[in-house]
Amino acid sequence: MPRDVCEIYCYDEAKVQRVKEHLASVDTRQMAQIFKALADDTRMKIALALCREDELCVCDVANIIGSTVATASHHLRLLHHMGLAKYRKEGKLVFYSLDDDHVKQLLLLALEHGEEKAHV
């Protein structure tokens, strides 16, 4: 039975060193937090809704995802704390939007990838 592990310690030491140096300068914890926030199905739906519409009220998000306002608010607050969403208040209403275009691009790319996989 073939094994899917290397039988030597290191094949290309120069390449390994270059990648290690690059990774040392990257905040992978911050990147992991972004994917952790989006790993939840409900938060992904909310993020995609915010991708489609520039801004949504918390109560509208609740209706979109079929939850209570409290549940939607909880997920939106988490997206905000993780730096993926921002909000503004207008009287008794709170409107959320994606924090920047990079988040939107990441979501649209993931959506496109998922659709390609579904059609294969």
Side-chain angles (χ1 to χ4, degrees), residues 17-45:
Q17 190 59 36
R18 281 194 310 271
V19 173
K20 284 173 76 172
E21 287 172 5
H22 173 72
L23 288 178
S25 68
V26 175
D27 186 357
T28 54
R29 285 182 288 189
Q30 174 65 26
M31 291 173 65
Q33 287 289 21
I34 291 169
F35 287 101
K36 182 179 178 181
L38 297 173
D40 179 86
D41 185 54
T42 300
R43 286 191 296 274
M44 179 59 80
K45 287 177 183 175

Side-chain angles (χ1 to χ4, degrees), residues 11-20:
Y11 174 72
D12 190 336
E13 289 184 34
K15 190 182 292 185
V16 168
Q17 190 59 36
R18 281 194 310 271
V19 173
K20 284 173 76 172

Side-chain angles (χ1 to χ4, degrees), residues 9 23-24 28-29 32 42 63 73 75 95 99 108 114 116 119:
Y9 176 68
L23 288 178
T28 54
R29 285 182 288 189
T42 300
N63 278 290
S73 183
H75 286 290
F95 294 90
D99 195 29
L108 291 174
E116 284 176 3
H119 292 106

Side-chain angles (χ1 to χ4, degrees), residues 16-112:
V16 168
Q17 190 59 36
R18 281 194 310 271
V19 173
K20 284 173 76 172
E21 287 172 5
H22 173 72
L23 288 178
S25 68
V26 175
D27 186 357
T28 54
R29 285 182 288 189
Q30 174 65 26
M31 291 173 65
Q33 287 289 21
I34 291 169
F35 287 101
K36 182 179 178 181
L38 297 173
D40 179 86
D41 185 54
T42 300
R43 286 191 296 274
M44 179 59 80
K45 287 177 183 175
I46 292 170
L48 286 172
L50 293 174
C51 221
R52 186 166 177 92
E53 299 294 329
D54 287 337
E55 184 178 73
L56 289 167
C57 180
V58 175
C59 57
D60 290 340
V61 170
N63 278 290
I64 289 167
I65 64 172
S67 76
T68 64
V69 172
T71 297
S73 183
H74 167 77
H75 286 290
L76 286 160
R77 201 173 311 113
L78 197 139
L79 289 171
H80 170 70
H81 288 307
M82 295 220 170
L84 300 178
K86 60 186 176 183
Y87 71 92
R88 70 176 181 85
K89 290 188 77 159
E90 190 174 299
K92 294 182 178 184
L93 303 174
V94 179
F95 294 90
Y96 276 85
S97 60
L98 293 178
D99 195 29
D100 63 37
D101 199 47
H102 292 107
V103 175
K104 186 173 185 175
Q105 289 174 15
L106 178 66
L107 290 165
L108 291 174
L109 187 60
L111 181 62
E112 182 181 329

